[in-house]
Amino acid sequence: MADRYQKLTSGGAGGFLAKRLGLPQPEPLRRHLPGAPAFPGPIVLGGQPSGRVQKSLHSQLAAAGAEVETGTEPRDGHRPDALVFDATGIRDSDQLHALHTFFHPRVRSLAASGRLLVIGTPPEHTTTAREAAAQRALEGFVRSAGKELKRGATAQLLLVAPGSEEAIESTTRFVLSPRSAYVSGQVLVVDGDRGGVPQSWDLPLEGKTAVVTGASRGIGEVIAATLARDGAHVVCLDIAAQSEQLRAVAERIGGSALELDVTAEDAPQALARELRERRGGADIVVHNAGITRDKTLGRMSRDRWDSVLAVNLSSVERLNDRLLDEKDPVVAEGGRIVCVSSISGIAGNVGQTNYAASKAGLIGHVRSLAPYTAGRGVTVNAVAPGFIETQMTAQVPLFIREAGRRLNSMKQGGQPVDVAEAVAYFASPASGAVTGQVLRVCGQGLLGA
Ligand code: NAD
């Protein structure tokens, strides 16, 4: 979908005028291109000598072909692509100045679409109240830095539980690369030793079967294509009314099409049967199908309430109940479940009591399910998109649409591929130590946390 304002202000007279008037000038974001190197430019890595993560991170990045610098002084004209600081050694608030010492002289030289990453310890894994406070402080630092960064740069906090240092590679590859173009100000937790390395980082999903609901268009279509790009066979699922588009998508990505209404009484059994018969089961399930039926609460009919809750939440619960049934699981060991929530489910939105309830419910579902499936190595996560350019958002009235596009640190809407890359990160076999999490893909939207 077109963002005319971005085009208008990207150069020439429009760009000049926007600059003079102090209007936002959205930077074209760098996105992943097939065959491009995992890390596009130099990475400056710093940290306390007592940090737990720096050493393994350095060797992982170097093995991946990244140009890593440690112990170098900032120098004129040097434009690092990423600034990474291992803060796991910080045990007291009076050591937090180390963040200032590292970032202050370097932050203004960060390249366009650069990456700022702080690595800490989950506060619940700290041993003293002082350490917990200092580690929690990292979150405020990162969220503010994300709001200050310009030209499409992002800032994230990665919390690594003690003993999980070797399990971080899929996460660092995501947050330090153009795959996380529209993700900023976020906190990700790596806890567990099920990280691992796929056979190939270019085709991490080779030999896997994925099912994506609502795959005939919009975000679901791009999720399906991205998982196929990463090597998966994708079963593309959508309602019969979308039959033609669904088949075209499945054919284009070398997957298969499945017409099914996720709210149908027998949908869980039908999906289980199809996945078993066609593919012997599934490794990745992406619950993307969703609808909106907006009205303010006083004007909302029961129909609008029921249909949104049924598609967006109850169907996901019912499908997961069946696919993860302990006695007869369809999802293989080491499987991946990813739900598509929304920032509406975090921040709420006018006219969306039904939608926000359903999307918040998904977050509760993911968080409560994750510990139960951990025994079989199945992770359960959610992505929470902000304003993404699709047919769904093209229907939003102009004024609200413009506010949605600009009220975030990137000053623009995201693309479906930004959500898809986040889903692919969760789906990776290397992301086994990442579960129960909600990752916002919202350009650090001003709404919500
Ligand atoms: P979309 O309307 O373009 O696509 C949704 C797809 O789901 C359609 O193909 C539709 O046919 C399918 N679907 C609907 N009901 C179904 C059912 N009962 N059974 C099977 N399939 C069904 O929407 P989109 O913008 O691509 O959104 C995809 C997901 O992302 C949704 O869950 C949405 O809530 C979420 N989301 C979107 C945005 C955004 O900005 N576009 C923001 C936050 C969250």
Side-chain angles (χ1 to χ4, degrees):
M1 305 295 132
D3 179 349
R4 291 206 185 92
Y5 177 86
Q6 184 175 16
K7 278 198 189 124
L8 195 73
T9 55
S10 67
F16 175 76
L17 205 61
K19 203 169 188 173
R20 291 298 296 267
L21 295 174
L23 295 172
Q25 279 183 284
E27 176 89 9
L29 303 180
R30 185 178 57 195
R31 294 190 165 87
H32 175 70
L33 296 170
F39 305 103
I43 298 174
V44 180
L45 178 58
Q48 308 279 84
S50 54
R52 293 178 288 109
V53 178
Q54 199 175 341
K55 213 166 127 233
S56 49
L57 178 60
H58 191 178
S59 44
Q60 283 172 16
L61 290 172
E67 195 187 316
V68 192
E69 297 177 15
T70 52
T72 51
E73 291 298 320
R75 48 195 192 278
D76 281 350
H78 182 47
R79 289 223 158 265
D81 202 75
L83 299 171
V84 182
F85 189 79
D86 177 4
T88 54
I90 294 182
R91 302 221 144 71
D92 197 299
S93 56
D94 63 14
Q95 296 164 351
L96 285 167
H97 61 81
L99 294 170
H100 183 269
T101 307
F102 180 74
F103 287 109
H104 165 72
R106 295 179 172 91
V107 70
R108 287 194 289 172
S109 59
L110 194 59
S113 285
R115 299 287 180 261
L116 183 157
L117 175 65
V118 176
I119 302 175
T121 303
E124 61 278 17
H125 285 281
T126 54
T127 47
T128 65
R130 279 175 176 257
E131 187 185 3
Q135 289 296 320
R136 182 67 204 230
L138 303 177
E139 198 174 315
F141 172 81
V142 163
R143 289 197 202 276
S144 298
K147 291 184 176 179
E148 289 182 8
L149 290 175
K150 297 203 164 57
R151 303 177 62 219
T154 67
Q156 327 287 353
L157 175 61
L158 169 58
L159 299 177
V160 183
S164 305
E165 295 79 9
E166 299 299 326
I168 60 171
E169 191 165 354
S170 68
T171 305
T172 51
R173 277 177 178 259
F174 175 67
V175 297
L176 292 178
S177 76
R179 292 171 198 266
S180 54
Y182 199 59
V183 178
S184 191
Q186 299 307 298
V187 182
L188 278 161
V189 182
V190 175
D191 189 355
D193 54 9
R194 290 189 199 247
V197 174
Q199 294 250 315
S200 149
W201 283 106
D202 289 330
L203 287 174
L205 306 182
E206 197 160 32
K208 307 278 183 199
T209 294
V211 55
V212 179
T213 70
S216 72
R217 66 179 209 192
I219 295 172
E221 175 183 357
V222 183
I223 292 173
T226 304
L227 299 182
R229 174 202 72 187
D230 285 356
H233 175 96
V234 184
V235 178
C236 305
L237 181 156
D238 214 303
I239 49 176
Q242 289 290 108
S243 177
E244 212 172 300
Q245 278 177 276
L246 180 67
R247 269 159 219 293
V249 171
E251 197 173 314
R252 185 164 50 79
I253 66 167
S256 41
L258 175 59
E259 284 174 25
L260 190 68
D261 181 334
V262 292
T263 63
E265 189 67 39
D266 67 341
Q269 286 307 336
L271 180 59
R273 196 175 51 242
E274 289 283 344
L275 289 172
R276 276 266 168 69
E277 281 172 13
R278 289 190 197 194
R279 308 290 311 169
D283 303 287
I284 298 153
V285 182
V286 183
H287 296 285
N288 162 80
I291 59 168
T292 50
R293 296 286 182 271
D294 295 0
K295 278 276 177 216
T296 50
L297 184 56
R299 298 180 191 280
M300 186 179 294
S301 66
R302 176 69 192 266
D303 260 13
R304 281 178 182 261
W305 179 271
D306 286 346
S307 56
V308 167
L309 268 293
V311 176
N312 297 4
L313 179 58
S314 310
S315 76
V316 176
E317 296 172 308
R318 292 174 58 238
L319 292 180
N320 280 346
D321 282 349
R322 175 62 197 92
L323 300 178
L324 296 167
D325 182 355
E326 274 172 27
K327 293 193 195 88
D328 183 23
V330 177
V331 172
E333 235 173 83
R336 302 278 180 264
I337 311 283
V338 187
C339 296
V340 180
S341 176
S342 164
I343 53 164
S344 278
I346 296 169
N349 203 6
V350 175
Q352 293 199 319
T353 49
N354 52 355
Y355 182 76
S358 72
K359 296 296 188 181
L362 278 182
I363 294 173
H365 178 66
V366 158
R367 294 212 168 123
S368 70
L369 199 56
Y372 286 99
T373 61
R376 293 184 65 241
V378 175
T379 65
V380 191
N381 293 290
V383 290
F387 185 96
I388 306 295
E389 305 281 356
T390 65
Q391 284 184 25
M392 193 185 251
T393 47
Q395 327 253 312
V396 173
L398 179 68
F399 182 70
I400 301 176
R401 190 162 73 228
E402 267 309 293
R405 275 181 177 141
R406 305 302 157 216
L407 292 179
N408 59 72
S409 297
M410 305 287 164
K411 312 282 182 247
Q412 60 193 287
Q415 296 295 329
V417 72
D418 300 326
V419 181
E421 294 284 12
V423 171
Y425 151 63
F426 282 136
S428 167
S431 298
V434 183
T435 191
Q437 309 211 16
V438 179
L439 179 62
R440 289 175 52 160
V441 183
C442 63
Q444 197 177 24
L446 298 183
L447 300 173

